[in-house]
Amino acid sequence: MNIEIRPYQNSDKQELLDILRLNVPTYFAQEEANDLAEYLDHHLDLYYVALDGSRIIGAAGINRNFDTESAALSWGFLHPDYHRKGAGSLLLKHRLGILTNDSRIKHIQVRTSQVVYRFFEKHNFTLTEVQKDYWAEGLDMYVMRYQL
């Protein structure tokens, strides 16, 4: 596996929506595909696509708020064929590298679910809040913080 990470391009949108749908219902609720489309069209800050050769295998983003010196990791997901093979860690390390080298950022947060939060724990995120059935019934929100 030779993973490359590059900035998102508008032409990636449909393929990413298709990959997200492959992760429903285990990792995402069905209605979140519409939320991702809205995000890609209107709320991007920094967003990256992971490729294995020329094949798009996933994506992950960053939304920064310089007024609060904070950043949120957003919309990270992979094609199911690439789960638990290191691609998610590469995308996470790519984003953390950008943020830890930006002196304007003092706090990093991610909102995830009970299905994925242990992945972030392995990468030094700490659980700060849980909201039951936040994303959908059976998908709780886990708010986690990364210490810089």
Side-chain angles (χ1 to χ4, degrees):
M1 187 167 58
N2 185 23
I3 305 300
E4 173 192 342
I5 297 172
R6 66 153 168 83
Y8 169 80
Q9 300 166 1
N10 289 335
S11 59
D12 300 329
K13 180 181 174 182
Q14 187 57 55
E15 197 162 349
L16 292 175
L17 289 170
D18 292 344
I19 292 170
L20 181 84
R21 287 183 184 102
L22 295 173
N23 286 287
V24 171
T26 303
Y27 297 95
F28 292 94
Q30 183 65 44
E31 57 270 19
E32 288 185 275
N34 292 334
D35 296 340
L36 175 60
E38 169 75 13
Y39 174 83
L40 294 174
D41 289 342
H42 302 291
H43 303 288
L44 284 181
D45 182 8
L46 300 173
Y47 204 65
Y48 301 96
V49 172
L51 302 121
D52 184 5
S54 61
R55 178 184 184 196
I56 293 176
I57 62 164
I62 299 169
N63 287 80
R64 299 165 297 174
N65 182 332
F66 298 120
D67 292 339
T68 62
E69 299 180 312
S70 64
L73 303 182
S74 55
W75 287 106
F77 59 93
L78 293 167
H79 189 287
D81 291 348
Y82 289 84
H83 289 180
R84 301 187 197 330
K85 294 184 178 171
S89 293
L90 289 174
L91 272 169
L92 178 58
K93 289 174 184 173
H94 180 79
R95 294 181 292 165
L96 290 175
I98 291 166
L99 293 171
T100 58
N101 287 311
D102 188 334
S103 63
R104 300 169 295 178
I105 301 298
K106 305 290 186 232
H107 311 283
I108 301 171
Q109 176 179 289
V110 65
R111 297 184 318 159
T112 189
S113 73
Q114 74 272 23
V115 183
V116 181
Y117 88 98
R118 294 239 184 251
F119 166 80
F120 289 101
E121 271 188 341
K122 288 190 318 190
H123 293 280
N124 299 315
F125 282 77
T126 304
L127 182 63
T128 61
E129 179 185 352
V130 175
Q131 290 186 34
K132 187 162 178 51
D133 297 329
Y134 181 88
W135 307 112
E137 187 174 337
L139 278 177
D140 305 337
M141 178 176 66
Y142 279 50
V143 180
M144 304 186 78
R145 219 170 179 169
Y146 183 80
Q147 280 309 119
L148 293 171

